[in-house]
């Protein structure tokens, strides 16, 4: 038997690793577009950009991983076409045969198309080489404009502040991190970012960039007509799933590669996992595509079991984190617009949690600088424990204490 | 160069010489030491780099932050007085040598 995995990121390598752990002894081939050793992405927008640090990528696996586990890594290779009847993948290096094919192709940055978007000094942040360029540029930068107040934009804003730069963030939506966070958390962050000295411009998009006499970016002109000086620009306006190859192979795509609850596409020999996969989730109101380490690794582990014949639905609790200067944001579950909200803790002390109730039951928790709440929420939500709003409002309630009480009746695996 | 020794639950030991400033998690991941995952990349967010520090090195360790403390409470393996997150311990002139035990499970 042979498994071909397209993508050498967190999801693809976890799958390869888990296949071996679960006892699979057939051929495993991993196709990775980037040259070199596969690396972890989360530090690229955090530690990697911190002042005075010698940046080094953190590998996803140790140096002997591929040899020890008999996994072939085709680095610097692109998958070009998939022949489903023949079960082959044509790559830039030749043909690979598969019994199971897994798309772990991730996502790519959305690009700006406005005038000046390609000027020197305008950066994106996704790959190690993007991060290297920013690591080099940051110490000399003064005025930084960030397009997009999402996680990447705001993590970069924190790094830029730490380098002593003036930071302006343009966000065309009315609140930061608006797609992922509850309005109450999003608005708290808006205030917190501004009190740190970040100039957060909401409801304001980018119109164009203007070059200086040296040909590099010098100013960002916003949709309101304002001009912001900029010697370095970061564009962080989200990502698009890498689903073109799957679509061209006749696999259904719709904001990602569509899979069922076992992570299989309609072709039972083909699966999709990680940022590129659109899957049904019990934790939200419909299908989901998640961009997170947790989702990539948990789906990698699950897909290994699916390939080896365990037909169980994927239902891992989504969780996520972002580090932005002094703020550690952690989320468990997925907030929905109609959730009933309750705040635990002290917003003025920057240590609190936002609890989201659906039909009266706890369904998602966002925390700032409150790891205890976050870890407890993960336990409670993973165990499917029914925490009611009434219980939370009772005297002396904490999420952590609740984990001890409910674990008696509902053990956490 | 500072050195770190990782002891697996079965007693086998692996000693690494690493650059000053390297964390115990990073050294382990860089070198493929089994049993230290570091899924979050070193942000004290995932508690998958839990280790037990041998008592003779306890004095040279940095204090446990509130975050690390709370994450350790929720680590998969049992927390003891010597539990730490490997991503929060840096090797340097003050801590040039350390021996740690790796727990049975991180997930």
């Amino acid at each position: 038997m042979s498994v071909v995995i397209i993508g050498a990121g967190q999801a693809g390598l976890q799958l390869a690793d888990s296949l071996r752990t679960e006892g699979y002894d057939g051929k495993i081939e991993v196709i990775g577009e980037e040259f070199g050793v596969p690396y972890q992405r989360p530090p690229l927008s955090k530690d990697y950009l911190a002042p005075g640090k010698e940046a080094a990528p953190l590998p996803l696996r140790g140096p002997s991983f591929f040899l020890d586990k008999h996994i072939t890594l085709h680095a610097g290779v692109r998958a070009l076409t998939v022949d489903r009847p023949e079960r082959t993948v044509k790559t830039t290096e030749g043909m690979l045969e598969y019994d199971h094919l897994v798309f772990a192709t991730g996502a790519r940055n959305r690009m700006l198309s406005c005038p000046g978007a390609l000027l020197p000094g305008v950066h994106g942040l996704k790959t190690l080489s993007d991060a290297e360029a920013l690591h080099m540029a940051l110490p000399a930068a003064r005025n930084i404009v960030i397009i997009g107040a999402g996680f990447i934009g705001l993590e970069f804003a924190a790094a830029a502040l730490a380098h002593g730069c003036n930071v302006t963030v343009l966000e065309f939506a009315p609140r930061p991190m608006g797609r992922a966070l509850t309005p109450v958390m999003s608005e708290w962050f808006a205030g917190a970012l501004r009190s740190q000295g970040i100039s957060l411009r909401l409801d304001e998009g980018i119109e164009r960039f203007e070059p200086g006499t040296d040909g590099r970016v010098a100013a960002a002109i916003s949709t309101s007509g304002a001009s912001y000086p900029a010697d370095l620009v970061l564009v962080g306006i989200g990502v698009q799933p890498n689903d073109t190859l799957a679509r061209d192979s006749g696999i259904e795509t719709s904001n990602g590669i569509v899979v069922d609850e076992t992570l299989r596409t309609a072709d039972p020999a083909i699966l999709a996992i990680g940022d590129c996969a659109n899957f049904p989730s019990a934790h939200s109101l419909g299908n989901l595509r998640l961009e997170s380490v947790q989702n990539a690794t948990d789906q990698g582990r699950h897909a290994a079991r699916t390939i080896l014949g365990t037909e169980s639905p994927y239902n891992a609790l989504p969780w996520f984190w972002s580090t932005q200067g002094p703020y550690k944001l952690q989320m468990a579950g997925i907030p929905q617009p109609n959730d009933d909200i309750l705040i635990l803790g002290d917003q003025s002390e920057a240590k609190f949690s936002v609890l989201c109730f659906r039909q009266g039951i706890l369904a998602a928790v966002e925390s700032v600088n409150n790891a205890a709440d976050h870890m407890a929420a993960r336990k409670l939500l993973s165990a499917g424990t029914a925490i009611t709003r009434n219980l939370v409002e009772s005297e002396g309630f904490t999420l952590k204490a609740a984990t001890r009480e409910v674990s008696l009746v509902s053990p956490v695996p | 160069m500072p050195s770190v020794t990782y002891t697996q639950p079965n007693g086998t030991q692996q000693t690494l010489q690493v650059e000053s400033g390297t964390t115990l998690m990073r050294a382990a991941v860089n070198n493929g030491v089994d049993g230290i995952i570091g899924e979050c990349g070193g942000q004290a967010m995932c508690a998958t780099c839990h280790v037990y520090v041998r008592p003779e090195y306890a004095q040279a360790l940095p204090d446990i932050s509130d975050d690390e403390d709370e994450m350790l409470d929720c680590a998969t393996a049992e927390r003891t007085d010597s539990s730490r997150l490997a991503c929060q311990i840096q090797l340097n002139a003050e801590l040039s040598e350390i021996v740690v035990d790796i727990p049975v499970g991180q997930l």
Side-chain angles (χ1 to χ4, degrees):
Chain A
M1 195 158 83
S2 168
V3 179
V4 171
I5 301 165
I6 309 179
Q10 207 107 31
L13 289 201
Q14 182 63 55
L15 168 61
D17 198 344
S18 294
L19 279 169
R20 288 291 181 242
T21 311
E22 299 279 331
Y24 170 76
D25 60 3
K27 208 168 171 183
I28 302 175
E29 299 191 85
V30 183
I31 304 171
E33 266 190 30
E34 291 179 69
F35 288 96
V37 178
Y39 55 87
Q40 296 198 16
R41 289 189 201 276
L44 298 183
S45 53
K46 305 175 185 82
D47 284 0
Y48 198 94
L49 301 176
K53 282 220 179 167
E54 194 163 338
L58 186 63
L60 274 167
R61 294 292 187 279
S64 60
F65 170 78
F66 294 98
L67 204 62
D68 290 351
K69 309 254 176 180
H70 303 287
I71 295 164
T72 307
L73 173 67
H74 300 274
V77 171
R78 270 178 72 94
L80 300 172
T81 55
V82 175
D83 186 330
R84 288 168 51 206
E86 291 295 319
R87 295 198 176 182
T88 57
V89 181
K90 187 178 161 196
T91 76
T92 47
E93 267 193 352
M95 203 74 90
L96 301 175
E97 292 178 6
Y98 68 83
D99 295 297
H100 295 276
L101 176 66
V102 184
F103 285 94
T105 43
R108 63 189 180 280
N109 279 345
R110 281 184 60 216
M111 307 284 276
L112 277 178
S113 56
C114 68
L118 299 176
L119 285 172
V122 179
H123 296 252
L125 178 49
K126 178 83 182 162
T127 64
L128 178 58
S129 64
D130 293 337
E132 281 168 347
L134 288 164
H135 177 81
M136 302 286 282
L138 263 176
R142 274 197 67 75
N143 296 306
I144 294 194
V145 171
I146 295 165
I147 313 300
F151 294 110
I152 287 291
L154 295 178
E155 287 177 9
F156 185 76
L161 270 190
H163 280 271
C165 301
N166 303 314
V167 181
T168 303
V169 181
L170 301 184
E171 169 58 59
F172 78 92
R175 56 193 183 92
M177 301 175 280
R179 283 185 308 135
L181 298 187
T182 58
V184 59
M185 182 58 87
S186 195
E187 275 147 29
W188 182 86
F189 259 94
L193 294 165
R194 284 180 172 137
S195 69
Q196 283 185 284
I198 292 171
S199 172
L200 178 65
R201 320 290 307 190
L202 300 171
D203 295 305
E204 200 169 329
I206 181 72
E207 181 72 36
R208 65 180 190 279
F209 299 105
E210 288 181 345
T213 49
D214 58 358
R216 297 176 56 81
V217 69
I221 314 299
S222 80
T223 45
S224 72
S227 174
Y228 302 98
D231 43 40
L232 195 162
V233 170
L234 181 86
V235 179
I237 55 171
V239 298
Q240 291 174 305
N242 289 324
D243 56 9
T244 311
L245 179 60
R247 185 162 54 248
D248 291 349
S249 321
I251 302 286
E252 185 191 355
T253 60
S254 168
N255 178 32
I257 302 167
V258 178
V259 295
D260 65 14
E261 73 275 5
T262 69
L263 307 177
R264 278 202 180 92
T265 67
D267 180 338
I270 301 183
L271 294 82
I273 56 175
D275 289 14
C276 70
N278 186 324
F279 64 99
S281 170
H283 298 282
S284 82
L285 303 179
N287 262 44
L288 271 184
R289 194 177 62 73
L290 286 176
E291 298 148 16
S292 74
V293 169
Q294 168 275 322
N295 185 59
T297 53
D298 281 343
Q299 291 199 336
R301 292 184 188 107
H302 195 88
R305 292 192 286 271
T306 295
I307 288 172
L308 298 177
T310 308
E311 296 291 324
S312 63
Y314 175 77
N315 60 10
L317 177 78
W319 62 268
F320 186 81
W321 80 93
S322 175
T323 306
Q324 298 170 20
Y327 308 119
K328 262 188 169 190
L329 170 65
Q330 293 170 291
M331 292 124 79
I334 303 195
Q336 301 292 336
N338 294 325
D339 287 349
D340 182 24
I341 298 296
L342 184 71
I343 297 168
L344 282 186
D346 190 346
Q347 284 178 283
S348 65
E349 294 288 317
K351 185 179 170 79
F352 67 99
S353 296
V354 176
L355 277 59
C356 303
F357 295 88
R358 227 162 284 160
Q359 275 113 43
I361 304 294
L362 185 68
V365 176
E366 299 166 328
S367 306
V368 172
N369 296 345
N370 199 336
D373 273 5
H374 170 71
M375 295 305 288
R378 264 162 66 182
K379 278 196 178 178
L380 293 167
L381 296 174
S382 295
T385 316
I387 302 289
T388 62
R389 184 168 175 134
N390 280 347
L391 176 64
V392 174
E393 285 175 323
S394 63
E395 184 74 22
F397 174 88
T398 67
L399 288 164
K400 195 167 169 177
T403 61
R404 286 191 287 269
E405 283 153 31
V406 299
S407 67
L408 299 171
V409 289
S410 172
V412 178
Chain B
M1 241 183 213
S3 85
V4 47
T5 299
Y6 302 92
T7 313
Q8 294 293 340
N10 69 5
T12 58
Q13 290 198 320
Q14 187 174 355
T15 298
L16 302 171
Q17 315 290 325
V18 299
E19 300 271 339
S20 186
T22 307
T23 68
L24 297 189
M25 183 280 289
R26 179 175 274 271
V29 172
N30 275 337
N31 291 283
V33 174
D34 281 343
I36 295 187
I37 299 173
E39 196 160 279
C40 78
Q43 313 286 320
M45 292 286 187
C46 66
T48 63
C49 64
H50 180 198
V51 293
Y52 303 111
V53 175
R54 295 273 171 99
E56 55 266 40
Y57 302 97
Q59 223 171 356
L61 295 178
D63 290 342
I64 294 187
S65 70
D66 289 351
D67 280 349
E68 183 184 352
D69 189 43
E70 290 172 349
M71 296 301 291
L72 280 168
D73 273 348
C74 300
T76 301
E78 184 199 357
R79 179 176 186 174
T80 72
D81 288 345
S82 51
S83 286
R84 294 298 301 254
L85 293 180
C87 68
Q88 302 300 302
I89 300 175
Q90 229 176 55
L91 292 157
N92 50 39
E94 289 79 52
L95 184 67
S96 62
E97 185 195 60
I98 191 167
V99 180
V100 300
D101 291 284
I102 294 177
V104 178
Q106 298 283 12
L107 289 170

